Amino acid sequence: MLVVMKPGTVAEEIEKMHKKLGTLKMDVTLVVGEQQSVFALGGDTSKLDLESLQANIQVEKIVRIQQPYKLASRTFHPEDTIVDVRGCKIGGGHIAVIAGPCSVESEEQMIHTAELVKQYGATLLRGGAYKPRSSPYSFQGLGVDGLKMLVKAREATGLPIVTEAMSIETFDAIEESADLIQIGARNMQNFPLLKRAGKSAKPILLKRGLSATLEEFLMSAEYILAGGNANVILCERGIRTFDTYTRNTLDISLIPAVKELSHLPIIVDPSHACGKWSLVEPLAKAAIAVGADGLIIEVHHNPEQALCDGAQSLKPEKFGHLMSSVQKIIAAV
Ligand code: PEP
Ligand code: MN
């Protein structure tokens, strides 16, 4: 349930209400907006004396939220959230493009790729140091050494870095280096990891699980928000369907649906969605056309030799081509 205070209610009145709600044995979260402050009440609200709350002249309205997620819902937070990643804004009309290899392979590779994707207009650099691989015999990532290489690439180009955290044990090291911490599809419902992300001061990129419903996806975001971290970016990366021609199926309808239900920014990963480099550009264009706040694209200087996901990686020049066609879609929408 939400208790929405009238615009311009003074801090003293907000504080009084906070104290009053604090006595009700419920979870109370206060969100101070530019115009209005809103209290989100969690737990059993059935016994609440709504009339007495409504009697307070500073209360504009009381809204019962039907969805199980509250902090992630647009009812709770009508304006788009804009997440700031080391000065790069995402959401609320700010479109960001994250590009780079699936995995960090060497310092030279990261610096070289970072320079090229920056030149073509990428605003953030990606690279996995800890890789969630289906086979234990596949390349698992360079770990801490990979994080150091990412930092070197940031130093060389100024691009903020995005990398995945797969476990609580390695979270601190990743948090120290990364500007945006990715929680991958396979960990979307790793609840202890989500709770750890909720305690982080760094923004989180939460990817949709392979077969997660929209509600489950938003509930996972809710874990992070409920932990106190308001900076969550969602990412649609394709889901499992009956078709096997593409690696996954890009659920394009999820983007406008998220926009209706939530204030959180949502970006699209066409690379993992299709698994084939030739389909990445058209899907990227479609994503922007339906209102995505950005893209995350795999780029490799030599895809045939890539240690992970070469088949879906674009060569840098192909990424340049994608950027110029995406720019046209951005201008059109
Ligand atoms: C990745 O971004 O490299 C990755 C493993 O993505 P996902 O979790 O979406 O499969
Ligand atoms: Mn990958």
Side-chain angles (χ1 to χ4, degrees):
M1 182 183 292
L2 303 178
V3 179
V4 182
M5 304 302 284
K6 285 188 179 152
T9 304
V10 295
E12 205 184 329
E13 291 296 330
I14 303 280
E15 192 44 44
K16 257 196 223 163
M17 178 57 88
H18 207 167
K19 282 213 179 98
K20 178 173 175 162
L21 296 173
T23 62
L24 298 177
K25 288 194 188 134
M26 276 185 299
D27 297 332
V28 181
T29 309
L30 169 62
V31 176
V32 182
E34 255 176 46
Q35 310 286 332
Q36 280 174 288
S37 294
V38 178
F39 292 97
L41 307 185
D44 181 12
T45 54
S46 61
K47 293 186 183 65
L48 264 186
D49 181 356
L50 292 187
E51 279 189 24
S52 96
L53 277 179
Q54 192 79 72
N56 184 319
I57 55 162
Q58 306 298 341
V59 172
E60 182 176 282
K61 59 181 172 184
I62 294 176
V63 185
R64 276 197 185 276
I65 297 185
Q66 298 306 324
Q67 298 106 325
Y69 45 87
K70 292 185 173 61
L71 303 176
S73 88
R74 205 177 263 289
T75 323
F76 174 63
H77 189 298
E79 300 120 48
D80 287 341
T81 283
I82 300 172
V83 176
D84 190 308
V85 183
R86 207 182 245 260
C88 175
K89 292 189 168 61
I90 306 180
H94 301 271
I95 294 180
V97 179
I98 306 169
C102 179
S103 311
V104 177
E105 296 170 5
S106 70
E107 189 176 316
E108 298 69 45
Q109 170 225 23
M110 284 317 300
I111 294 178
H112 180 60
T113 312
E115 283 168 347
L116 287 171
V117 298
K118 182 180 179 182
Q119 182 191 314
Y120 289 123
T123 40
L124 298 101
L125 176 70
R126 65 154 287 150
Y130 296 87
K131 293 305 304 175
R133 303 305 300 275
S134 301
S135 164
Y137 308 116
S138 301
F139 175 60
Q140 302 285 309
L142 297 179
V144 177
D145 291 340
L147 294 177
K148 289 184 190 147
M149 294 168 192
L150 279 164
V151 170
K152 284 266 163 60
R154 179 177 63 209
E155 283 166 6
T157 59
L159 289 180
I161 53 182
V162 186
T163 198
E164 177 164 353
M166 280 170 45
S167 67
I168 293 184
E169 297 79 62
T170 53
F171 202 97
D172 288 359
I174 292 157
E175 191 175 42
E176 223 174 273
S177 315
D179 300 304
L180 176 60
I181 302 168
Q182 174 172 321
I183 294 194
R186 289 154 193 83
N187 275 313
M188 190 206 83
Q189 286 190 314
N190 180 338
F191 300 116
L193 188 62
L194 296 175
K195 285 183 184 170
R196 174 63 186 85
K199 295 283 162 245
S200 180
K202 293 281 171 76
I204 307 295
L205 177 63
L206 177 66
K207 298 187 93 175
R208 183 185 186 183
L210 278 74
S211 58
T213 64
L214 170 51
E215 188 168 296
E216 287 164 342
F217 191 18
L218 290 175
M219 287 306 285
S220 290
E222 188 80 9
Y223 262 90
I224 304 170
L225 299 171
N229 187 347
N231 294 307
V232 177
I233 301 167
L234 304 170
C235 177
E236 159 61 27
R237 45 77 72 206
I239 47 170
R240 284 274 164 89
T241 65
F242 51 82
D243 204 335
T244 52
Y245 180 70
T246 49
R247 183 174 179 181
N248 292 290
T249 297
L250 180 62
D251 181 5
I252 206 83
S253 63
L254 185 98
I255 294 100
V258 161
K259 292 279 169 202
E260 278 180 9
L261 297 174
S262 178
H263 53 91
L264 296 173
I266 174 150
I267 68 167
V268 168
D269 174 347
S271 310
H272 290 88
C274 67
K276 289 180 161 64
W277 69 264
S278 61
L279 303 182
V280 171
E281 181 178 316
L283 292 185
K285 287 157 71 183
I288 297 299
V290 292
D293 298 295
L295 299 164
I296 177 164
I297 311 278
E298 286 189 341
V299 177
H300 198 282
H301 62 287
N302 186 0
E304 292 94 30
Q305 299 294 321
L307 296 181
C308 184
D309 288 349
Q312 66 196 35
S313 299
L314 294 182
K315 289 187 177 155
E317 317 78 68
K318 290 256 184 323
F319 173 69
H321 192 275
L322 174 149
M323 286 302 284
S324 50
S325 50
V326 160
Q327 290 301 344
K328 291 183 196 135
I329 306 287
I330 293 176
V333 298

